[in-house]
Amino acid sequence: MRWPILILIALVILLQYPLWLGKGGWLRVWEVDRQLQAQREENLRLEQRNAGLAAEVNDLKSGNEAIEERARFELGLTRQGEIYVQTPQR
């Protein structure tokens, strides 16, 4: 009576192997799902960065205020007649 039970247990184990560890098994599905979620988060971060860059490009194309702001903060330029004062940081 013991052999049929052992054969059935072995058969169940053989049938379960592809489900859990095979090429399309649950472990692989969970790993791919984790990778997909990580990629979606990265895509969202990059889309937000691209939207910011696109807004900056539109500002630079449309008017002089953005160009003037960049010149002031990045290059330290001033308008004619302005006095530049820099205070030391502690």
Side-chain angles (χ1 to χ4, degrees):
M1 204 56 154
R2 182 174 266 180
W3 286 104
I5 294 174
L6 291 176
I7 291 173
L8 287 175
I9 290 173
L11 185 61
V12 167
I13 290 173
L14 286 174
L15 289 174
Q16 289 290 314
Y17 175 80
L19 176 65
W20 291 98
L21 302 173
K23 185 177 181 181
W26 282 109
L27 296 177
R28 177 74 177 136
V29 169
W30 288 332
E31 175 63 23
V32 170
D33 188 48
R34 187 193 61 76
Q35 291 174 353
L36 178 65
Q37 185 62 29
Q39 188 63 49
R40 284 182 178 158
E41 291 170 2
E42 178 71 10
N43 288 350
L44 180 62
R45 186 186 65 79
L46 291 173
E47 285 174 3
Q48 291 171 346
R49 188 195 72 177
N50 287 347
L53 290 173
E56 188 175 345
V57 166
N58 286 337
D59 285 346
L60 290 172
K61 284 182 178 180
S62 66
N64 292 333
E65 293 89 19
I67 296 171
E68 182 179 336
E69 180 182 349
R70 278 197 144 196
R72 286 178 179 271
F73 289 110
E74 291 180 10
L75 302 175
L77 299 178
T78 59
R79 287 185 182 167
Q80 191 170 5
E82 286 183 335
I83 300 173
Y84 178 74
V85 178
Q86 183 176 4
T87 57
Q89 300 288 328
R90 288 188 179 192

